[in-house]
mmCIF file of all heavy atoms in Angstrom:
data_model
loop_
_atom_site.group_PDB
_atom_site.id
_atom_site.type_symbol
_atom_site.label_atom_id
_atom_site.label_comp_id
_atom_site.label_asym_id
_atom_site.label_seq_id
_atom_site.Cartn_x
_atom_site.Cartn_y
_atom_site.Cartn_z
ATOM 1 N N LEU A 229 14.327 6.463 10.398
ATOM 2 C CA LEU A 229 14.454 7.898 10.630
ATOM 3 C C LEU A 229 14.186 8.147 12.106
ATOM 4 O O LEU A 229 13.136 7.758 12.618
ATOM 5 C CB LEU A 229 13.457 8.679 9.777
ATOM 6 C CG LEU A 229 13.865 9.073 8.356
ATOM 7 C CD1 LEU A 229 14.806 10.257 8.385
ATOM 8 C CD2 LEU A 229 14.465 7.922 7.569
ATOM 9 N N ILE A 230 15.134 8.768 12.779
ATOM 10 C CA ILE A 230 14.951 9.057 14.199
ATOM 11 C C ILE A 230 14.536 10.519 14.307
ATOM 12 O O ILE A 230 15.352 11.430 14.155
ATOM 13 C CB ILE A 230 16.245 8.770 14.971
ATOM 14 C CG1 ILE A 230 16.596 7.279 14.787
ATOM 15 C CG2 ILE A 230 16.093 9.112 16.448
ATOM 16 C CD1 ILE A 230 17.912 6.878 15.358
ATOM 17 N N SER A 231 13.237 10.723 14.539
ATOM 18 C CA SER A 231 12.704 12.078 14.555
ATOM 19 C C SER A 231 12.810 12.670 15.949
ATOM 20 O O SER A 231 12.487 12.027 16.940
ATOM 21 C CB SER A 231 11.239 12.062 14.101
ATOM 22 O OG SER A 231 10.716 13.362 14.175
ATOM 23 N N GLU A 232 13.306 13.913 15.999
ATOM 24 C CA GLU A 232 13.395 14.604 17.295
ATOM 25 C C GLU A 232 12.071 15.266 17.643
ATOM 26 O O GLU A 232 11.926 15.861 18.701
ATOM 27 C CB GLU A 232 14.530 15.635 17.246
ATOM 28 C CG GLU A 232 15.894 14.949 17.216
ATOM 29 C CD GLU A 232 16.990 15.804 16.614
ATOM 30 O OE1 GLU A 232 16.739 17.001 16.356
ATOM 31 O OE2 GLU A 232 18.088 15.269 16.401
ATOM 32 N N ASN A 233 11.098 15.161 16.741
ATOM 33 C CA ASN A 233 9.780 15.762 16.956
ATOM 34 C C ASN A 233 8.764 14.665 17.267
ATOM 35 O O ASN A 233 8.465 13.829 16.420
ATOM 36 C CB ASN A 233 9.363 16.536 15.694
ATOM 37 C CG ASN A 233 7.965 17.121 15.804
ATOM 38 O OD1 ASN A 233 7.320 17.020 16.839
ATOM 39 N ND2 ASN A 233 7.506 17.724 14.728
ATOM 40 N N GLU A 234 8.234 14.667 18.487
ATOM 41 C CA GLU A 234 7.301 13.609 18.883
ATOM 42 C C GLU A 234 6.012 13.662 18.062
ATOM 43 O O GLU A 234 5.255 12.708 18.031
ATOM 44 C CB GLU A 234 6.964 13.727 20.372
ATOM 45 C CG GLU A 234 8.127 13.341 21.262
ATOM 46 C CD GLU A 234 7.695 13.112 22.688
ATOM 47 O OE1 GLU A 234 6.519 13.372 23.001
ATOM 48 O OE2 GLU A 234 8.539 12.691 23.482
ATOM 49 N N GLU A 235 5.731 14.793 17.417
ATOM 50 C CA GLU A 235 4.503 14.924 16.630
ATOM 51 C C GLU A 235 4.788 14.739 15.137
ATOM 52 O O GLU A 235 4.057 15.241 14.294
ATOM 53 C CB GLU A 235 3.869 16.305 16.858
ATOM 54 C CG GLU A 235 3.614 16.670 18.312
ATOM 55 C CD GLU A 235 2.659 15.721 18.999
ATOM 56 O OE1 GLU A 235 1.769 15.202 18.315
ATOM 57 O OE2 GLU A 235 2.827 15.478 20.203
ATOM 58 N N SER A 236 5.870 14.025 14.830
ATOM 59 C CA SER A 236 6.265 13.847 13.431
ATOM 60 C C SER A 236 5.097 13.458 12.527
ATOM 61 O O SER A 236 4.302 12.594 12.866
ATOM 62 C CB SER A 236 7.341 12.766 13.336
ATOM 63 O OG SER A 236 7.555 12.420 12.001
ATOM 64 N N TYR A 237 5.020 14.096 11.364
ATOM 65 C CA TYR A 237 3.968 13.795 10.389
ATOM 66 C C TYR A 237 4.241 12.481 9.665
ATOM 67 O O TYR A 237 3.342 11.835 9.185
ATOM 68 C CB TYR A 237 3.877 14.917 9.343
ATOM 69 C CG TYR A 237 3.298 16.191 9.869
ATOM 70 C CD1 TYR A 237 4.099 17.144 10.466
ATOM 71 C CD2 TYR A 237 1.927 16.422 9.788
ATOM 72 C CE1 TYR A 237 3.559 18.320 10.957
ATOM 73 C CE2 TYR A 237 1.384 17.592 10.278
ATOM 74 C CZ TYR A 237 2.213 18.543 10.862
ATOM 75 O OH TYR A 237 1.667 19.687 11.340
ATOM 76 N N MET A 238 5.502 12.136 9.565
ATOM 77 C CA MET A 238 5.873 11.012 8.705
ATOM 78 C C MET A 238 6.329 9.776 9.474
ATOM 79 O O MET A 238 6.148 8.666 9.014
ATOM 80 C CB MET A 238 7.024 11.436 7.776
ATOM 81 C CG MET A 238 6.632 12.326 6.632
ATOM 82 S SD MET A 238 5.637 11.469 5.410
ATOM 83 C CE MET A 238 6.829 10.349 4.678
ATOM 84 N N PHE A 239 6.959 9.975 10.620
ATOM 85 C CA PHE A 239 7.666 8.849 11.210
ATOM 86 C C PHE A 239 7.182 8.521 12.606
ATOM 87 O O PHE A 239 6.909 9.393 13.417
ATOM 88 C CB PHE A 239 9.176 9.128 11.233
ATOM 89 C CG PHE A 239 9.697 9.560 9.903
ATOM 90 C CD1 PHE A 239 10.235 10.816 9.726
ATOM 91 C CD2 PHE A 239 9.585 8.724 8.817
ATOM 92 C CE1 PHE A 239 10.688 11.225 8.498
ATOM 93 C CE2 PHE A 239 10.028 9.129 7.573
ATOM 94 C CZ PHE A 239 10.583 10.379 7.410
ATOM 95 N N HIS A 240 7.119 7.225 12.866
ATOM 96 C CA HIS A 240 6.782 6.629 14.140
ATOM 97 C C HIS A 240 7.867 7.044 15.150
ATOM 98 O O HIS A 240 9.040 6.820 14.916
ATOM 99 C CB HIS A 240 6.850 5.125 13.847
ATOM 100 C CG HIS A 240 6.356 4.218 14.877
ATOM 101 N ND1 HIS A 240 5.874 2.980 14.551
ATOM 102 C CD2 HIS A 240 6.275 4.308 16.200
ATOM 103 C CE1 HIS A 240 5.516 2.343 15.642
ATOM 104 N NE2 HIS A 240 5.754 3.136 16.654
ATOM 105 N N THR A 241 7.502 7.688 16.241
ATOM 106 C CA THR A 241 8.533 8.190 17.161
ATOM 107 C C THR A 241 8.612 7.394 18.461
ATOM 108 O O THR A 241 9.575 7.471 19.197
ATOM 109 C CB THR A 241 8.255 9.664 17.536
ATOM 110 O OG1 THR A 241 6.952 9.754 18.104
ATOM 111 C CG2 THR A 241 8.342 10.557 16.331
ATOM 112 N N GLN A 242 7.541 6.640 18.757
ATOM 113 C CA GLN A 242 7.454 5.948 20.029
ATOM 114 C C GLN A 242 8.506 4.833 20.123
ATOM 115 O O GLN A 242 8.628 4.014 19.239
ATOM 116 C CB GLN A 242 6.046 5.353 20.136
ATOM 117 C CG GLN A 242 5.747 4.627 21.399
ATOM 118 C CD GLN A 242 5.628 5.562 22.576
ATOM 119 O OE1 GLN A 242 5.588 6.770 22.401
ATOM 120 N NE2 GLN A 242 5.622 5.021 23.754
ATOM 121 N N ASN A 243 9.260 4.799 21.206
ATOM 122 C CA ASN A 243 10.243 3.734 21.444
ATOM 123 C C ASN A 243 11.132 3.469 20.228
ATOM 124 O O ASN A 243 11.526 2.329 19.971
ATOM 125 C CB ASN A 243 9.533 2.427 21.837
ATOM 126 C CG ASN A 243 9.016 2.471 23.268
ATOM 127 O OD1 ASN A 243 9.699 2.951 24.168
ATOM 128 N ND2 ASN A 243 7.805 2.014 23.481
ATOM 129 N N ILE A 244 11.435 4.539 19.459
ATOM 130 C CA ILE A 244 12.148 4.319 18.207
ATOM 131 C C ILE A 244 13.543 3.750 18.473
ATOM 132 O O ILE A 244 14.105 3.057 17.645
ATOM 133 C CB ILE A 244 12.202 5.626 17.370
ATOM 134 C CG1 ILE A 244 12.567 5.336 15.922
ATOM 135 C CG2 ILE A 244 13.157 6.639 17.971
ATOM 136 C CD1 ILE A 244 11.451 4.774 15.112
ATOM 137 N N GLY A 245 14.092 4.027 19.670
ATOM 138 C CA GLY A 245 15.397 3.469 20.014
ATOM 139 C C GLY A 245 15.385 1.953 20.006
ATOM 140 O O GLY A 245 16.423 1.308 19.811
#
Side-chain angles (χ1 to χ4, degrees):
Chain A
L229 273 283
I230 300 174
S231 177
E232 290 156 8
N233 177 4
E234 289 195 354
E235 306 299 328
S236 170
Y237 288 88
M238 285 291 290
F239 309 116
H240 189 153
T241 57
Q242 182 71 10
N243 285 318
I244 197 76

